[in-house]
Each structure stands twice: as C-alpha cells, then as structure tokens.
Amino acid sequence: MSGIRQICGKELARVFKDVKMMFSVFFLPVIIMIVVMSLISNMSMKAEQDVDEHVPILYVENAPDGFDGFLKQTEISYTLYPVEDRAAAAESIRNGDADLWIEFPENFQEDVSDYQTGDEVVQVKTYYNPSEDYSRAAYDMISTGVLEMYRQALLAERVDDMQKLTVFTVNSDNPDMVIQDEQKAGGKVLGMMLPYFVTILLFAGAMGIGTDMVAGEKERGTMASLLVSPIKRSSIVLGKVFALMIISGVSSIIYVAAMVIFMPQMLGGVSGEDLGISLTFSGHQIVMLALLLVAIAFLYSAVIVLVSVFAKTVKEASSYVMPMYMLVLVLGIMTMFTTNTPKDWFYMIPVYNTSLALQGILTQEVTYAQYGMTLGVTLVLGAVLVGVITKAFQSEKVMAI
C-alpha cells in the first residue's frame, strides 16, 4: 500500500508542482472549449441577424394591380423588379443576385374574379435558391407567408363571411401552450454538448500525461531503476493508474463546472431564464455524475497506461493512443444526435454507455438499472485492463527499453 502511495504521490507532484503543466492540463482545454463554443454561437447569431436584416430582392412577373400596395401594407422591406427576361431572372436567382421570383399567371385578376365552381384553381408559382440563405429566408417569409395573406385578402372579396371558411384557429389565444419540465429541458441543452466535451477533453487531458508516465520513463531510462526498486510492480501500476485517474477526475470536475457556469456565454449570451429552462443540478444528479466521472477517469487512465506499456517512446505511445482517441470522439458525437430512446443493451457498450448515461443523468431519463450497468461495465473493464497492465509489467520483454 505504501508503494502505491509513493508512486501516486510522485506522479501527482510532477503535475501539481508544475504551474505550466497544471495550466495546460486543467485550464487551457476549458478556455479553448469556451472560446470555440462562444465564437460558434456568436457567429451563428450574427449570421441569423444578417439574414433577418437583409432586404429581399424580388422579381414579380405579371404582377396584378394593387400587389405592390399590398406588399407595402405588410410593412416588409423589399426591392421589387419586374421580369423582363425569364432566363435573366432565373440566372439572378441561381447566382444569388436576387432572392425570389413570383410568377402570376396572365389575366390573374380576371381568372380570380370570374372563378366558377369546377374551374381550374389559379396557381401562383415561386422560384428560389435553397442554397442561398437570403433566398431561403425570402421564400419562407413571402412565398409561404405574405402570399397566404394575399390569398386570404382576395378570398375575403369573394366570400361575405370569412368566419365560415375559417372553421377553427390554432393557438390564436393560448399563452399557456408550452408545457415543459424546465429542469429536463435544461438537461437536454447540456446533454447535447456535455457528454461529448467531457469525454473528449478528459481523454485528451489524460493522454499527454499518461503516455509520459510509462513510455516517457522508458525513454528517459528511469523505468529500469524503478523496476529494480523494492516496490512491487503491481504497486507501480496501481500508483500510476490512480495518479492519472485523480488528474483526469479533477480535470473532468473543472470541465463540468466550467460548462455549467459559462453556458450562457457558450449559447451566445442567452441565459437559461431567457430559454425558459433551468441549468441547475439536484443532489442525486451531482452524486451520479461524480461517481460516473470517477469511473470514466479510471477506465481512460487504464487504457492510456496500457498503451504506454507496449511503447518504447512517448511518440510511439501517442501514435498508439490516437486511434482510441478517434473512437472516443466518434462515440461522443453519436450521442449528440440521438433521438430515439436508447435500448438497455446500449449501456453495455464501453465508452458509448458513459456518454449515454451522462446525457440521461442530465435529462433525468436514465434508469437506476441503466446507470448501474454503465457504472459496472466501466469499472470492471478498467479493472481488467489494470490486470493486463500488471501482467505486462511482469514481462521483461515488454518492459525492456
């Protein structure tokens, strides 16, 4: 037990007594995460604002009398051009020089006013470019909005009582239509990003230190003297794994706390209150998160140390770890776009199950059975890997420099 404590203390001292290393392991990833997410969110909001403030450029073919006046009544800013050359209008839409082309049929007003039962219904056609943001916004606003209002206005001229055609409205006076659990809604917001960033940053933070703990000591020649010391090799293994686990655990706590505290900034300055959600944790959520993060740190530490055991240099160990890092990256992304309820057996899949469980804890949708399965699989797999590491430490061939 004293050997484990000595090795663990030595590795922890190497990190916690080095200010530069502490900054690079614990704080630099958080700063990068916050800056990147804030930048993405702000750029996205600015792009949306730019689209909203853009004045649509419209082509109108065979515009009926009064249509321009109707558009002005809607108080929508626009620039209107008549269609003189259909090919040129289409080219302008295609190139993004214009946003929407509205084609009224010839004799539109006569066909509308002279309509009789059984006649063909008059069709107004619109053309837009969905690959252009301005064009897509103009289509959503005018083609599916303003033209519907124009249709209703013309219909009112034909029908004495529009209420007969309305039949019913949907949410025209329903301020209480949103029914949601604010805690669960807040969990969904966090659950989209937290599992991904925690697992990725936790693995990345442990990767650099973990590869140096074994492969680095081999490369520097200090591993040989450590192996001939009176400390049991199993104690050396456990000391290094526990040290890396503590470092990873501390970093994961910092990551989670930073995400919760700086979530408004990462959402572009939008607070949970503005979104109508709660970004707070209950006591049992905190306990479940803490236990799971410890288990994840234990598993990742065992994986990284295991890889380092079979490498002779830090560079070699890093190349071995990278495929595993990519696997963690892919499995973390998968949970961001999960819509269906995960099947119970999904919680038996290592790494993927921890992302699912993290998401389930935040949304309060994970069952105790699923959580227990995830925790058990993660700890058992980590223990098995520690056993393999211990066996590898006993092999002179593997530990040879």
Side-chain angles (χ1 to χ4, degrees), residues 59 89-96 98-101 127-129 135:
Y59 276 112
E91 189 64 21
S92 295
I93 298 291
R94 184 178 295 107
N95 295 335
D99 304 316
L100 187 68
W101 172 10
Y127 307 92
Y128 76 111
N129 185 350
S135 182

Side-chain angles (χ1 to χ4, degrees), residues 288-353:
M288 293 175 75
L289 279 172
L291 292 176
L292 188 58
L293 289 175
V294 169
I296 296 172
F298 176 57
L299 175 60
Y300 286 179
S301 300
V303 169
I304 293 169
V305 173
L306 176 63
V307 171
S308 299
V309 168
F310 292 94
K312 297 185 183 300
T313 64
V314 174
K315 183 177 180 180
E316 184 181 354
S318 299
S319 66
Y320 293 162
V321 171
M322 190 54 62
M324 298 182 183
Y325 180 61
M326 296 303 297
L327 177 62
V328 171
L329 183 70
V330 171
L331 293 176
I333 292 175
M334 288 174 62
T335 57
M336 294 182 67
F337 306 101
T338 300
T339 55
N340 297 326
T341 302
K343 296 180 174 59
D344 288 342
W345 65 269
F346 285 3
Y347 293 88
M348 296 289 291
I349 304 174
V351 181
Y352 181 60
N353 58 358

Side-chain angles (χ1 to χ4, degrees), residues 4 18 23 26 52 64 184 187 202 253 277 335-336 341 372:
I4 298 176
D18 189 333
F23 176 78
F26 300 124
D52 292 339
K184 184 176 179 180
L202 197 153
I253 292 172
I277 60 177
T335 57
M336 294 182 67
T341 302

